[in-house]
Coordinates of all heavy atoms in Angstrom, one line a residue:
N20 N 57.7 -119.4 -87.1 CA 59.1 -118.9 -87.0 C 60.0 -120.0 -86.4 O 61.3 -119.8 -86.4 CB 59.2 -117.7 -86.2 CG 58.7 -117.9 -84.7 OD1 58.6 -119.0 -84.3 ND2 58.4 -116.7 -84.1
A21 N 59.5 -121.1 -86.0 CA 60.3 -122.2 -85.4 C 61.4 -122.7 -86.2 O 62.6 -122.8 -85.8 CB 59.4 -123.3 -84.9
N22 N 61.2 -123.0 -87.5 CA 62.2 -123.5 -88.3 C 63.4 -122.5 -88.5 O 64.5 -122.9 -88.5 CB 61.6 -123.9 -89.7 CG 61.0 -125.3 -89.7 OD1 61.7 -126.3 -89.9 ND2 59.7 -125.4 -89.4
G23 N 63.0 -121.3 -88.7 CA 64.1 -120.3 -88.9 C 64.9 -120.1 -87.6 O 66.1 -119.9 -87.7
L24 N 64.3 -120.1 -86.5 CA 65.0 -119.9 -85.2 C 65.8 -121.1 -84.8 O 66.9 -121.0 -84.1 CB 64.0 -119.6 -84.1 CG 63.3 -118.3 -84.2 CD1 62.1 -118.2 -83.2 CD2 64.2 -117.1 -83.9
L25 N 65.4 -122.3 -85.2 CA 66.0 -123.6 -84.8 C 66.8 -124.3 -85.8 O 67.3 -125.4 -85.6 CB 65.0 -124.5 -84.2 CG 64.1 -123.9 -83.0 CD1 63.0 -124.9 -82.7 CD2 65.0 -123.6 -81.8
S26 N 67.0 -123.7 -87.0 CA 67.6 -124.4 -88.1 C 69.0 -124.9 -87.9 O 69.5 -125.9 -88.4 CB 67.5 -123.5 -89.4 OG 68.3 -122.3 -89.2
D27 N 69.8 -124.1 -87.1 CA 71.2 -124.4 -86.9 C 71.6 -125.1 -85.6 O 72.7 -125.2 -85.3 CB 72.0 -123.1 -87.0 CG 71.9 -122.4 -88.3 OD1 71.8 -123.2 -89.3 OD2 72.0 -121.2 -88.4
V28 N 70.6 -125.6 -84.9 CA 70.9 -126.2 -83.6 C 71.0 -127.7 -83.7 O 70.5 -128.4 -84.6 CB 69.8 -125.9 -82.5 CG1 69.5 -124.4 -82.5 CG2 68.5 -126.6 -82.8
D29 N 71.7 -128.3 -82.8 CA 71.9 -129.8 -82.7 C 70.8 -130.4 -81.9 O 70.2 -131.5 -82.2 CB 73.2 -130.1 -82.1 CG 74.4 -129.6 -82.9 OD1 74.5 -129.8 -84.1 OD2 75.2 -128.8 -82.3
I30 N 70.4 -129.8 -80.8 CA 69.4 -130.3 -79.8 C 68.5 -129.2 -79.4 O 69.0 -128.0 -79.1 CB 70.1 -130.9 -78.6 CG1 71.1 -132.0 -79.0 CG2 69.1 -131.5 -77.6 CD1 71.9 -132.6 -77.9
I31 N 67.2 -129.5 -79.3 CA 66.2 -128.5 -78.9 C 65.7 -128.9 -77.5 O 65.2 -130.1 -77.3 CB 65.1 -128.4 -79.9 CG1 65.6 -128.0 -81.3 CG2 63.9 -127.5 -79.4 CD1 64.6 -128.3 -82.4
C32 N 65.6 -128.0 -76.6 CA 65.0 -128.3 -75.3 C 63.7 -127.5 -75.2 O 63.7 -126.3 -75.3 CB 65.9 -127.8 -74.1 SG 67.4 -128.8 -73.9
E33 N 62.6 -128.2 -75.0 CA 61.3 -127.6 -74.8 C 61.2 -127.4 -73.3 O 61.3 -128.3 -72.5 CB 60.2 -128.6 -75.3 CG 58.8 -128.1 -75.0 CD 58.3 -128.3 -73.6 OE1 58.4 -129.5 -73.1 OE2 57.9 -127.3 -73.0
A34 N 61.0 -126.1 -72.9 CA 61.0 -125.7 -71.5 C 59.8 -124.7 -71.2 O 60.0 -123.8 -70.4 CB 62.3 -125.2 -71.1
F35 N 58.7 -124.9 -71.9 CA 57.6 -124.0 -71.6 C 56.8 -124.4 -70.4 O 56.8 -125.6 -70.0 CB 56.7 -124.0 -72.9 CG 57.3 -123.4 -74.1 CD1 57.2 -124.1 -75.3 CD2 58.0 -122.2 -74.1 CE1 57.8 -123.6 -76.5 CE2 58.6 -121.7 -75.2 CZ 58.5 -122.4 -76.4
D36 N 56.0 -123.5 -69.9 CA 55.1 -123.8 -68.8 C 53.7 -123.8 -69.2 O 52.7 -123.8 -68.4 CB 55.3 -122.8 -67.6 CG 55.1 -121.4 -68.0 OD1 54.7 -121.1 -69.1 OD2 55.4 -120.5 -67.2
N37 N 53.4 -123.8 -70.5 CA 52.1 -123.8 -71.0 C 51.9 -125.0 -71.9 O 52.7 -125.3 -72.8 CB 51.9 -122.5 -71.9 CG 50.6 -122.4 -72.6 OD1 50.4 -123.0 -73.6 ND2 49.6 -121.7 -72.0
A38 N 50.8 -125.7 -71.6 CA 50.5 -127.0 -72.3 C 50.4 -126.8 -73.8 O 50.9 -127.6 -74.6 CB 49.3 -127.7 -71.8
E39 N 49.7 -125.8 -74.3 CA 49.5 -125.5 -75.7 C 50.9 -125.2 -76.4 O 51.1 -125.7 -77.5 CB 48.5 -124.4 -75.9 CG 47.1 -124.7 -75.6 CD 46.8 -124.7 -74.1 OE1 47.7 -124.2 -73.3 OE2 45.8 -125.3 -73.7
A40 N 51.7 -124.4 -75.7 CA 53.0 -124.1 -76.3 C 53.9 -125.4 -76.4 O 54.6 -125.6 -77.3 CB 53.7 -123.0 -75.4
K41 N 53.8 -126.2 -75.3 CA 54.6 -127.4 -75.4 C 54.2 -128.3 -76.5 O 55.0 -128.8 -77.3 CB 54.3 -128.2 -74.1 CG 55.0 -127.7 -72.8 CD 54.6 -128.5 -71.6 CE 55.4 -128.1 -70.4 NZ 56.8 -128.5 -70.4
A42 N 52.9 -128.5 -76.7 CA 52.4 -129.3 -77.8 C 52.7 -128.8 -79.1 O 53.1 -129.5 -80.1 CB 50.9 -129.5 -77.7
M43 N 52.7 -127.4 -79.3 CA 53.0 -126.8 -80.5 C 54.5 -127.1 -80.9 O 54.8 -127.5 -82.0 CB 52.8 -125.3 -80.4 CG 53.2 -124.5 -81.7 SD 55.0 -124.1 -81.8 CE 55.2 -123.1 -80.3
L44 N 55.4 -126.9 -80.0 CA 56.8 -127.0 -80.3 C 57.1 -128.5 -80.6 O 57.8 -128.8 -81.5 CB 57.7 -126.5 -79.1 CG 59.2 -126.6 -79.4 CD1 59.5 -125.7 -80.6 CD2 60.0 -126.2 -78.2
V45 N 56.6 -129.4 -79.7 CA 56.9 -130.8 -80.0 C 56.4 -131.3 -81.3 O 57.1 -131.9 -82.1 CB 56.2 -131.7 -78.9 CG1 56.3 -133.2 -79.2 CG2 57.0 -131.5 -77.5
N46 N 55.1 -130.9 -81.7 CA 54.6 -131.3 -82.9 C 55.3 -130.7 -84.1 O 55.6 -131.3 -85.1 CB 53.1 -130.9 -83.0 CG 52.2 -131.7 -82.1 OD1 52.6 -132.8 -81.7 ND2 51.1 -131.2 -81.6
T47 N 55.7 -129.4 -84.0 CA 56.4 -128.7 -85.0 C 57.8 -129.4 -85.3 O 58.2 -129.6 -86.4 CB 56.6 -127.2 -84.7 OG1 55.3 -126.6 -84.6 CG2 57.4 -126.5 -85.8
V48 N 58.5 -129.7 -84.2 CA 59.8 -130.3 -84.4 C 59.7 -131.7 -85.0 O 60.4 -132.0 -85.9 CB 60.6 -130.3 -83.0 CG1 61.9 -131.1 -83.2 CG2 60.9 -128.9 -82.5
L49 N 58.8 -132.5 -84.4 CA 58.6 -133.9 -84.9 C 58.2 -133.9 -86.4 O 58.6 -134.8 -87.2 CB 57.6 -134.6 -84.1 CG 58.1 -134.9 -82.6 CD1 57.0 -135.6 -81.9 CD2 59.4 -135.6 -82.5
E50 N 57.4 -133.0 -86.8 CA 56.8 -133.0 -88.1 C 57.7 -132.3 -89.2 O 57.8 -132.8 -90.3 CB 55.4 -132.3 -88.1 CG 54.4 -133.1 -87.4 CD 53.1 -132.3 -87.3 OE1 53.0 -131.2 -87.9 OE2 52.2 -132.7 -86.5
T51 N 58.4 -131.3 -88.8 CA 59.2 -130.5 -89.8 C 60.7 -130.5 -89.6 O 61.4 -130.1 -90.5 CB 58.7 -129.0 -89.8 OG1 59.1 -128.4 -88.5 CG2 57.2 -128.9 -89.9
M52 N 61.1 -131.0 -88.4 CA 62.6 -131.1 -88.2 C 62.9 -132.5 -87.6 O 63.4 -132.6 -86.5 CB 63.0 -130.0 -87.2 CG 62.9 -128.6 -87.7 SD 63.2 -127.3 -86.5 CE 61.6 -127.0 -85.9
P53 N 62.5 -133.6 -88.3 CA 62.6 -134.9 -87.7 C 64.1 -135.4 -87.4 O 64.3 -136.3 -86.7 CB 62.0 -135.8 -88.8 CG 62.2 -135.0 -90.1 CD 62.0 -133.6 -89.7
K54 N 65.1 -134.7 -88.0 CA 66.5 -135.1 -87.7 C 67.1 -134.4 -86.5 O 68.2 -134.7 -86.1 CB 67.3 -134.8 -88.9 CG 66.9 -135.7 -90.1 CD 67.9 -135.5 -91.3 CE 67.5 -136.3 -92.5 NZ 68.5 -136.2 -93.6
K55 N 66.3 -133.4 -85.9 CA 66.8 -132.8 -84.7 C 66.5 -133.6 -83.5 O 65.4 -134.3 -83.4 CB 66.1 -131.4 -84.5 CG 66.2 -130.5 -85.7 CD 67.5 -129.7 -85.6 CE 67.5 -128.6 -86.8 NZ 68.9 -128.1 -86.9
Y56 N 67.3 -133.5 -82.5 CA 67.0 -134.1 -81.2 C 66.1 -133.2 -80.4 O 66.4 -132.0 -80.4 CB 68.3 -134.4 -80.4 CG 69.0 -135.7 -80.9 CD1 70.1 -135.5 -81.8 CD2 68.6 -136.9 -80.5 CE1 70.8 -136.7 -82.2 CE2 69.3 -138.1 -81.0 CZ 70.4 -137.9 -81.8 OH 71.0 -139.0 -82.3
L57 N 65.2 -133.7 -79.7 CA 64.2 -132.9 -78.9 C 64.1 -133.5 -77.5 O 63.9 -134.7 -77.3 CB 62.8 -132.9 -79.6 CG 61.7 -132.3 -78.8 CD1 62.0 -130.8 -78.6 CD2 60.4 -132.5 -79.5

């Protein structure tokens, strides 16, 4: 659901307290939304 939720944003802030969730979001953004700032 990440792409649908974040499609219209300029910048994404990762603010999770779980290592797996952090890695998931970072990898998803870098791989599928490379033009977004993270």
